Amino acid sequence: FCMISPEQKQAYLQKLHGLGVHNIEMEAAAFGAFCKKMGIPAACMCVALLNRLEGDQVTSTPKQLGAFSDNPQQLLIQYIASTRKQQGAGQKVA
């Protein structure tokens, strides 16, 4: 279904990169909109596994791929913990 050539794709990615776009995430917007509509707190973190200006093949090692998954999760856990701690600090104990 894709009617563009690899050269056209590369030119488009170069144009986006020149405009400051370094990642394209499509599913997160739908996920965020759904959660907001339903009143569900949600978070989405995006990890770039490769530089599409250099190709489409993932060359990371299994250890690197694990870190790409674990590091954002740890960051999110720390953020949630600090937010909850700040919320608790503002409340008086009865």
Side-chain angles (χ1 to χ4, degrees):
F1 296 122
C2 189
M3 301 300 188
I4 64 169
S5 68
E7 294 79 17
Q8 290 171 312
K9 178 183 90 170
Q10 195 61 239
Y12 181 69
L13 291 174
Q14 289 286 353
K15 178 182 177 181
L16 290 176
H17 188 266
L19 294 170
V21 175
H22 297 282
N23 190 25
I24 302 168
E25 173 52 54
M26 298 175 290
E27 296 82 8
F31 173 75
F34 174 80
C35 290
K36 178 153 180 76
K37 179 77 171 168
M38 300 304 295
I40 302 169
C44 186
M45 299 183 79
C46 186
V47 175
L49 297 178
L50 53 90
N51 182 345
R52 292 205 185 267
L53 298 177
E54 298 173 1
D56 292 333
Q57 299 301 312
V58 176
T59 59
S60 304
T61 66
K63 183 176 181 178
Q64 290 171 320
L65 292 172
F68 290 155
S69 176
D70 293 343
N71 292 346
Q73 290 177 44
Q74 291 304 314
L75 180 64
L76 182 58
I77 290 167
Q78 290 173 9
Y79 172 76
I80 292 169
S82 70
T83 301
R84 291 182 57 90
K85 192 175 191 177
Q86 288 174 0
Q87 289 172 348
Q91 298 174 357
K92 294 183 179 181
V93 177

